[in-house]
Amino acid sequence: MCNVFDGHNGISAAIFAKENLLSNVLSAIPQDISRDAWLQALPRALVVGFVKTDIEFQQKGETSGTTATFVLVDGWTVTVASVGDSRCISDTQGGVVSLLTVDHRLEENAEERERVTASGGEVGRLNVFGGNEVGPLRCWPGGLCLSRSIGDTDVGEFIVPIPHVKQVKLSNVGGRLIIASDGIWDALSSDMAAKSCRGLPAELAAKLVVKEALRSRGLKDDTTCLVVDIIPSDLPVLPPIPRKKHNMLTSLLFFGKKSENSVNKATNKLSAVGVVEELFEEGSAMLTERLGKDFPLNKNSGIFRCAVCQVDQPPGDDGLSVNSGPFFSPASSPFLCTNCQKKKDAMEGKRPSRASITA
């Protein structure tokens, strides 16, 4: 596991997320299941963990916030969950660079701007004297330039902690992950960051990426970078991408079809090691969509378990809330306790619904 938390308006949200996010994710995964089932359950558990961490931090009454890029590696399978504008990329031995996150900057993400305004937020630039607008697009109240984060209780619930989640499988020759805060990506493209450190050990590669970003743009923001190599156990470092040295004239005169076939085979092999198989990707900000529809009542005990906070409540408790009408149907939507139901409605810009009932 590796992650980057880039705090703003103080460090308390970043520290809280660092200390609590992993345990909240793991608590949402059923125990005693197979490895394949565990990986399949992970994307939903990441959503639960992010939202639960946000709720717990908000209960502390502090106003700082943080981005979160959370990466779990199991064999060749990489699962990335993210809110904010830190980024994770993969770079394979074949030289294929893939983006594993989505930036939640209002300036660059039209879909998120539409969601925020539809949920009751206002999006605009900072007004200065004379009515001039400056800087990036921000969400008001609060002035945050991100649409998703953990914390930020003073901004508005339409700034949601629901992460974009992507799960991929690398080929068995492995690859490299570069995880960094926005201070890196404001200076370097994904391709530039990957190319700047190929063939170097991971620790040295991370330092070189930071150095390259500072050389390009100077120190204008946090510049945190992690490099993780996922490689076979018999390799000490991810090997550099092979460069083909080829004399075209000699090949045409003396090798003919044999040379052409050799080039094709080499190209195919290079493509094979660069393949990143996508297993799962979802970025909806709608909590119900992300939780799915298979949170049934415990048949043996008659207990409801909240899909987010994981608290058990027997039918009839004052805290029991139903989010899909006057009767709970396990097949229609997950069960949410009263507090988590309020959180869901607030994130969607809804007032308390009369359809929700409290027993």
Side-chain angles (χ1 to χ4, degrees), residues 238-259:
L238 195 69
I241 297 171
R243 295 181 179 179
K244 291 177 290 184
K245 295 181 179 180
H246 196 60
N247 187 315
M248 294 299 295
L249 180 59
T250 303
S251 298
L252 288 172
L253 291 175
F254 298 104
F255 294 97
K257 284 190 175 181
K258 183 178 179 181
S259 177

Side-chain angles (χ1 to χ4, degrees), residues 1-6 11-24 50 53 57 66-70 150:
M1 180 199 73
C2 45
N3 43 67
V4 168
F5 301 102
D6 187 4
I11 63 173
S12 55
I15 293 174
F16 187 87
K18 176 187 175 183
E19 294 176 347
N20 294 276
L21 182 54
L22 177 61
S23 61
N24 285 340
F50 271 65
T53 301
F57 179 74
T66 185
T67 72
T69 302
F70 192 83
I150 292 175

Side-chain angles (χ1 to χ4, degrees), residues 290-310:
R290 303 296 297 277
L291 293 179
K293 299 180 179 180
D294 52 347
F295 284 86
L297 176 72
N298 188 318
K299 296 179 180 178
N300 296 324
S301 63
I303 296 293
F304 288 98
R305 170 166 291 188
C306 176
V308 173
C309 68
Q310 306 293 301

Side-chain angles (χ1 to χ4, degrees), residues 82-101:
S82 62
V83 292
D85 57 1
S86 296
R87 187 184 302 174
C88 176
I89 66 171
S90 68
D91 184 22
T92 68
Q93 189 183 346
V96 178
V97 178
S98 301
L99 182 60
L100 303 183
T101 53

Side-chain angles (χ1 to χ4, degrees), residues 3 11 15 38 40 142 160 168 182 197 261 268 275 318 354:
N3 43 67
I11 63 173
I15 293 174
W38 193 91
Q40 290 178 359
V160 301
V168 299
D182 64 317
C197 63
N261 292 337
N268 291 337
V275 168
D318 290 340
R354 294 184 180 179

Side-chain angles (χ1 to χ4, degrees), residues 317-339:
D317 270 15
D318 290 340
L320 187 147
S321 173
V322 177
N323 67 351
S324 57
F327 299 103
F328 174 65
S329 171
S332 60
S333 61
F335 166 71
L336 298 177
C337 69
T338 300
N339 287 337

Side-chain angles (χ1 to χ4, degrees), residues 15-231:
I15 293 174
F16 187 87
K18 176 187 175 183
E19 294 176 347
N20 294 276
L21 182 54
L22 177 61
S23 61
N24 285 340
V25 171
L26 294 179
S27 68
I29 301 178
Q31 297 181 355
D32 301 322
I33 59 176
S34 68
R35 181 177 180 179
D36 288 344
W38 193 91
L39 287 172
Q40 290 178 359
L42 183 56
R44 183 173 66 189
L46 285 162
V47 174
V48 170
F50 271 65
V51 176
K52 184 179 180 182
T53 301
D54 181 74
I55 292 174
E56 291 174 345
F57 179 74
Q58 289 187 349
Q59 291 171 349
K60 293 169 62 69
E62 300 187 40
T63 57
S64 70
T66 185
T67 72
T69 302
F70 192 83
V71 182
L72 284 164
V73 179
D74 183 276
W76 304 118
T77 301
V78 178
T79 308
V80 183
S82 62
V83 292
D85 57 1
S86 296
R87 187 184 302 174
C88 176
I89 66 171
S90 68
D91 184 22
T92 68
Q93 189 183 346
V96 178
V97 178
S98 301
L99 182 60
L100 303 183
T101 53
V102 168
D103 288 348
H104 296 129
R105 283 187 176 181
L106 291 166
E107 182 74 36
E108 301 163 4
N109 196 319
E111 186 176 347
E112 285 292 279
R113 292 199 297 271
E114 293 175 4
R115 180 189 61 77
V116 168
T117 54
S119 298
E122 295 185 9
V123 176
R125 305 186 193 280
L126 181 66
N127 283 316
V128 295
F129 293 108
N132 295 321
E133 295 184 339
V134 297
L137 288 174
R138 300 176 183 272
C139 179
W140 306 96
L144 190 66
C145 61
L146 304 174
S147 61
R148 303 194 194 191
S149 69
I150 292 175
D152 292 308
T153 56
D154 59 333
V155 176
E157 292 284 7
F158 32 78
I159 304 299
V160 301
I162 300 174
H164 170 273
V165 178
K166 188 166 186 175
Q167 189 175 75
V168 299
K169 187 174 183 180
L170 305 179
S171 70
N172 59 11
V173 297
R176 165 169 284 179
L177 303 179
I178 301 178
I179 312 146
S181 63
D182 64 317
I184 298 292
W185 306 117
D186 287 343
L188 304 176
S189 68
S190 298
D191 284 331
M192 289 171 62
K195 291 177 181 178
S196 70
C197 63
R198 282 176 180 154
L200 297 175
E203 184 177 354
L204 182 58
K207 293 179 180 178
L208 189 61
V209 171
V210 172
K211 183 177 180 180
E212 185 67 19
L214 294 178
R215 186 191 66 80
S216 173
R217 191 169 180 263
L219 183 59
K220 297 184 179 181
D221 200 354
D222 296 335
T223 51
T224 300
C225 180
L226 298 175
V227 173
V228 180
D229 285 341
I230 306 169
I231 54 180

